[in-house]
């Protein structure tokens, strides 16, 4: 296990948070919960019926978890009324709210967070990203002043001298398909904030492209140049530069050769990809070929931490994302 995750777990333990796991239909949820509870990383709430819990937790010690059956829980009525109130402008009826919240536990989990009864949610082991994020955007909404919700992976590359001792953020590698310059700039500034929270090091942000400082001409390059300009304007204290090729961004001698006047080239630890194709392919290449640990997709920009999982995740991956969610929740205090 990386020292990055050790550190995150230790930080989570200092001020334990209540994290909801709504996917009681999946065995990995209970395996992860058992580990989190054993290591005392977080207080775990699992949403499910007694039948679902018994079937999928067999042989695992989840005795310290809070199990909530939404069909009988004393606060369900309160949550449903809250849901109706939040969505009244959309015409949501009580019957519709009940069908949604009891038919999809992700809605119920978000209502618990909104009501102040939990601090964050981790879901997505058997739900799509859209089905994880839609309830959170409807119920919890974006952080004040944040233009969009985006997603990143924390990449921890073994035996790597680049980045922050091999630790990077790759963004957006999970959500925003083809961001325009304003969105790309917002992704960069949010990712820098996330890096500083999680890695506890100064963010050095590279806006990636197939071009370095005008070496190629294309509308795709222009987009990255404009995003860099906007990000610098909006975040005058942030170390951010672009457009940079990947090697110029992280390899010191290449950076000093290709972009000698840059204070980012060769030192970057936050890599902002020009679109979702590049970001998603990039993180999976590094995960598989460099045997990097990949934590995410972690969302940023939602008012409370609601994190997605890859559907191919292991129980160990869920434990890591729960710990990260706790640290994000601590920052909301």
């Amino acid at each position: 296990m990386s020292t990055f995750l050790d550190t995150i777990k230790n930080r989570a333990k200092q001020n334990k948070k209540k994290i909801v796991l709504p996917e009681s239909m999946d065995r990995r949820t209970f395996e992860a919960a058992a580990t989190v509870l054993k290591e005392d990383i977080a207080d775990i709430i699992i949403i499910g019926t007694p039948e679902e819990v018994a079937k999928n937790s067999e042989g695992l010690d989840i005795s310290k978890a809070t199990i909530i059956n939404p069909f009988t829980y004393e606060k369900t009525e309160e949550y449903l009324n809250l849901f109706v109130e939040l969505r009244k402008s959309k015409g949501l009826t009580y019957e519709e709210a009940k069908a949604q919240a009891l038919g999809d536990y992700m809605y119920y989990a978000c209502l618990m967070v909104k009501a102040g009864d939990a601090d964050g949610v981790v879901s997505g082991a058997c739900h799509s990203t859209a089905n994880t994020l839609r309830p959170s955007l409807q119920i919890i909404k974006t952080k004040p002043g944040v233009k969009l919700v985006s997603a990143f992976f924390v990449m921890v590359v073994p035996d790597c001298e680049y980045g922050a001792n091999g630790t990077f953020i790759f963004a957006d590698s999970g959500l925003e398909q083809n961001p325009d310059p304003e969105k790309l700039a917002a992704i960069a500034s949010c990712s820098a904030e996330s890096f500083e929270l999680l890695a506890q090091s100064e963010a050095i942000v590279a806006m990636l492209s197939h071009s370095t400082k005008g070496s190629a001409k294309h509308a795709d390059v222009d987009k990255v140049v404009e995003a860099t300009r906007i990000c610098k304007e909006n975040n005058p204290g942030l170390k951010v530069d672009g457009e940079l090729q990947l090697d110029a961004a992280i390899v010191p001698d290449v950076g000093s050769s290709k972009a000698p006047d840059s204070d980012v080239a060769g030192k970057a630890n936050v890599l902002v990809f020009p679109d979702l194709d590049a970001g998603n392919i990039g993180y999976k290449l590094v995960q598989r070929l460099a045997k990097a640990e990949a934590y995410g997709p972690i969302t940023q920009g939602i008012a409370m931490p609601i994190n997605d999982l890859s559907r191919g995740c292991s129980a160990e991956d869920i434990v890591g994302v729960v710990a990260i969610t706790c640290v994000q929740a601590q920052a909301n205090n």
Side-chain angles (χ1 to χ4, degrees):
M1 188 204 300
S2 71
T3 52
F4 168 78
L5 190 56
D6 282 336
T7 303
I8 290 288
K9 284 182 174 181
N10 286 332
R11 288 170 66 192
K13 292 174 188 179
Q14 302 308 311
N15 178 10
K16 280 201 302 175
K17 295 296 176 185
K18 293 178 185 171
I19 306 300
V20 188
L21 302 178
E23 293 177 309
S24 55
M25 66 296 293
D26 194 294
R27 173 79 175 177
R28 290 169 294 176
T29 294
F30 294 95
E31 291 170 345
T35 301
V36 168
L37 294 166
K38 184 181 178 185
E39 295 186 22
D40 204 28
I41 295 165
D43 294 324
I44 292 293
I45 299 168
I46 298 172
I47 300 172
T49 62
E51 295 76 21
E52 287 166 327
V53 173
K55 177 184 171 188
N56 293 308
S57 68
E58 194 176 345
L60 296 168
D61 181 6
I62 55 156
S63 56
K64 290 181 180 171
T66 300
I67 309 293
I68 288 180
N69 179 356
F71 296 92
T72 60
Y73 187 53
E74 62 200 29
K75 283 196 164 185
T76 294
E77 194 73 13
E78 178 189 319
Y79 297 153
L80 296 179
N81 289 330
L82 172 63
F83 197 6
V84 171
E85 177 63 26
L86 289 168
R87 302 291 289 170
K88 65 183 177 186
S89 66
K90 303 292 183 186
L92 185 75
T93 66
Y94 178 85
E95 289 70 28
E96 289 166 340
K98 187 174 183 179
Q100 270 191 312
L102 300 185
D104 182 346
Y105 297 163
M106 186 60 197
Y107 279 95
Y108 196 95
C110 288
L111 289 165
M112 288 192 74
V113 171
K114 186 71 174 179
D117 294 332
D119 301 301
V121 183
V122 174
S123 181
C126 46
H127 285 87
S128 69
T129 295
N131 287 342
T132 297
L133 292 181
R134 190 182 302 111
S136 57
L137 291 174
Q138 288 181 5
I139 294 166
I140 296 169
K141 305 188 175 17
T142 55
K143 273 184 185 170
V146 170
K147 291 184 174 130
L148 83 162
V149 174
S150 56
F152 63 87
F153 276 80
V154 177
M155 305 298 295
V156 183
V157 187
D159 305 316
C160 176
E161 70 269 36
Y162 306 131
N165 298 315
T167 298
F168 296 87
I169 272 181
F170 284 22
D172 182 322
S173 37
L175 196 57
E176 189 66 35
Q177 183 68 50
N178 191 10
D180 61 24
E182 287 79 10
K183 287 183 174 179
L184 204 55
I187 289 166
S189 58
C190 278
S191 299
E193 198 177 302
S194 293
F195 182 85
E196 292 184 351
L197 170 67
L198 297 173
Q200 296 182 301
S201 298
E202 183 186 21
I204 305 172
V205 184
M207 309 295 279
L208 298 181
S209 172
H210 67 278
S211 167
T212 296
K213 298 295 183 180
S215 66
K217 303 291 183 196
H218 192 275
D220 289 349
V221 178
D222 296 340
K223 175 178 95 166
V224 177
V225 172
E226 176 63 5
T228 305
R229 185 193 68 75
I230 294 167
C231 190
K232 283 181 173 178
E233 194 175 276
N234 293 343
N235 305 273
L238 180 63
K239 281 187 181 170
V240 55
D241 202 9
E243 87 287 13
L244 295 170
Q245 289 162 291
L246 186 277
D247 56 353
I250 67 169
V251 182
D253 57 348
V254 179
S256 60
S257 164
K258 290 188 173 184
D261 299 326
S262 174
D263 61 350
V264 168
K267 307 184 192 82
N269 47 37
V270 176
L271 303 180
V272 178
F273 291 82
D275 58 37
L276 185 57
D277 285 340
N280 195 270
I281 292 165
Y283 104 74
K284 286 185 174 171
L285 270 173
V286 175
Q287 181 185 28
R288 299 300 177 183
L289 300 187
K291 297 182 169 52
E293 296 164 41
Y295 300 104
I298 309 296
T299 55
Q300 54 190 2
I302 302 174
M304 298 289 282
I306 310 294
N307 282 319
D308 192 15
L309 295 161
S310 164
R311 276 175 284 180
C313 68
S314 64
E316 201 173 283
D317 294 332
I318 300 174
V319 173
V321 175
V322 167
I324 288 169
T325 307
C326 287
V327 172
Q328 287 180 309
Q330 288 170 356
N332 275 351
N333 283 1

